[in-house]
Amino acid sequence: METGRRERKKQQTRQAISDVATALFLERGFDAVTVAEVARAADVAVQTVFNHFPAKEDLFFDEQGWWTRPARSIREAPAGADPVDVLEAAYLAETRDRLEAGHLATWKQFVRTIESSPALLARRRLNAAEMEKSLTEALDERNPGHLRNRLIAAQFAAAQKVLEEQLMRLLPDEASADQVREAQAKLERAVAEVFGVLRHGLALPATTA
């Protein structure tokens, strides 16, 4: 029982630090905020911050779902499941989780914070590369065929990039709750279109005279 309470307290402290850091980064920019400032705002010691987050970038990219979920979803899928179907469902689940958590409302600010920081851009590239690598490995475990699996992983990474760019276009600045829900609905239609291309290839649909 005592171990459980300690673990809950540890998680609460970690979440509180993460929330404070995110608010500061979005308000002032990642490079303008120091770990010491995060510690003061969260009312903890600097070492406590580092106990939970080994690097400053970890404070910003606290949620690992976007680069670990694809491989995990493949490993957890039933035998014989189509990998594109699995990845589409996982991507949709991630976007809906983001909406439910309220993160969609600050998505544009989050992306702009990344784009304004060389350190965050470098970390995001590393995370994206790790996602492709781990997804390829998960696909290889189910159905060896490295070239095809590598292509699926690369196409998924490209699809994710296209959809994130589309979301930036769909979301207004300082979006209202209704605008956020509308953007989510449009994003889900875009997801269906993009994953349809992954399934059926890049050939243009036939036109009628």
Side-chain angles (χ1 to χ4, degrees), residues 82-97:
D82 182 276
V84 176
D85 290 345
V86 173
L87 291 170
E88 180 179 13
Y91 187 84
L92 274 175
E94 182 182 341
T95 66
R96 289 167 181 170
D97 288 348

Side-chain angles (χ1 to χ4, degrees), residues 197-209:
V197 172
L198 294 190
R199 272 187 204 90
H200 306 299
L202 293 171
L204 293 175
T207 58
T208 57

